[in-house]
Each structure stands twice: as structure tokens, then as C-alpha cells.
Amino acid sequence: MAKVVELRRHHDAEADFLTEKGVGTALELGAGLSGDYDVFISSGAQRSTQTLACYLAASALRVAGGVVVDARFRSALEDRWKAAYEKAGAGDIESFQKADPQLVEKETALLAAALRELFESLPDGGRALVVGHSPMQEAAVYGLTGRAVGPLSKGAGVAVVLDDDGGYGVEQLD
């Protein structure tokens, strides 16, 4: 059976906390989530963990493994990503590659490894949700699948699906 990992960007925040608007949109999105999950994962940033808390508060979701922090879904090189963004003038993976190819190569490999290990930890038919940051989520998808997804707006996401044949698909989430 296929395994699914949803990668979402945290909602609107100021510093490391969701704004009132961010809490509202996270509660709204959480109310629309359905089904069971094996685990919710936060990058470790307060705004990511708070987003997951809002999802749970607004839903009747069952998350068998609870909410865990996995800092591998967060970059230690945020300042370098910001500098690459300023140099590139855009937030897509291709623009980052032009601005700082070594950064993208290193970070996509690290993020892909974290995502691959998450897939390996899931049971057949398993499902996980990771809340983190842009462009880390996009870099993880690119590193694992080779597919570039556009910059994620706050609260937006993609689902990466590992099929029974070992291939990965990517689907945009609302």
C-alpha cells in the first residue's frame, strides 16, 4: 500500500509565533483535515509546532505517534538561504540553484535523507504530516523526487506519495 507524507508550511507568523490570522487559518485548515495519521512532525520552530497544535485542536484526527520534533526538517543555514533568495530575487528551487548551487546541493540531500527515513519508518499505508518552512519543504521534495515545486505560501503544502513500486509522486494540497 502507498505511503503518504504531507509537507506543509507553517501559517502566518511574527517572529516565531503564529499571528492571530495564522492561528485562525491553521484552525480552519485543521478542521478540514480527515483520516488518521501515524505521526505529526514539527521542524522544531515554535510556529511549526503551534500550527500542528491548531490542526489537532480543530479536528477529530487520530495521530497514533503523536507530535514529535525532528530538526532535520529545519535548516541550520537559514541566513544563507535568505542571502540566496536576495541574490536570486525569487523563491523557487531553480533560482536558488543559480544563486548558490552548493547550498541547494547540500541542503536538498540532507532534507531528502530525512524525508526518505520518514517514509521508511511508516507502515504500509502509513501517513505523516510535516510542518516546517519554505524553502525547506520544497528542497526536501526536490532532493527526494527531482521534481521542483513552486514556493509554498503560508499553510500550503504538497503530498509526496511512495507507491508500491517504489516510485514517488507529488500532489499539490489546498
Side-chain angles (χ1 to χ4, degrees):
M1 293 183 67
K3 299 177 182 183
V4 178
V5 175
E6 297 174 21
L7 298 154
R8 287 196 177 271
R9 185 176 177 192
H10 62 79
H11 291 256
D12 190 53
E14 187 173 304
D16 197 23
F17 301 94
L18 293 185
T19 63
E20 187 175 326
K21 176 184 175 188
V23 169
T25 59
L27 290 168
E28 185 178 308
L29 193 144
L33 294 175
S34 61
D36 293 337
Y37 287 84
D38 291 282
V39 66
F40 272 9
I41 297 174
S42 167
S43 67
Q46 172 66 28
R47 59 195 179 273
S48 297
T49 305
Q50 192 178 4
T51 294
L52 289 170
C54 288
Y55 289 172
L56 286 170
S59 70
L61 294 174
R62 183 177 169 280
V63 183
V67 178
V68 299
V69 171
D70 188 339
R72 294 177 305 160
F73 287 99
R74 185 177 188 178
S75 177
L77 304 174
E78 286 185 29
D79 289 339
R80 192 164 164 192
W81 279 104
K82 288 176 186 175
Y85 175 80
E86 289 174 12
K87 182 178 179 182
D92 59 281
I93 291 294
E94 294 89 353
S95 295
F96 281 116
Q97 284 177 314
K98 290 175 187 170
D100 192 339
Q102 291 81 19
L103 172 69
V104 174
E105 181 180 356
K106 179 182 177 185
E107 292 280 280
T108 57
L110 289 172
L111 292 158
L115 189 52
R116 189 176 296 107
E117 288 177 30
L118 175 55
F119 270 109
E120 290 170 1
S121 75
L122 291 173
D124 285 343
R127 190 170 166 210
L129 188 143
V130 179
V131 173
H133 320 277
S134 186
M136 302 317 98
Q137 303 294 53
E138 298 92 325
V141 172
Y142 181 76
L144 183 68
T145 69
R147 181 171 169 195
V149 295
L152 297 175
S153 59
K154 296 193 175 168
V158 295
V160 180
V161 180
L162 175 60
D163 65 32
D164 294 336
D165 297 324
Y168 292 100
V170 180
E171 303 167 7
Q172 201 71 35
L173 299 172
D174 295 330

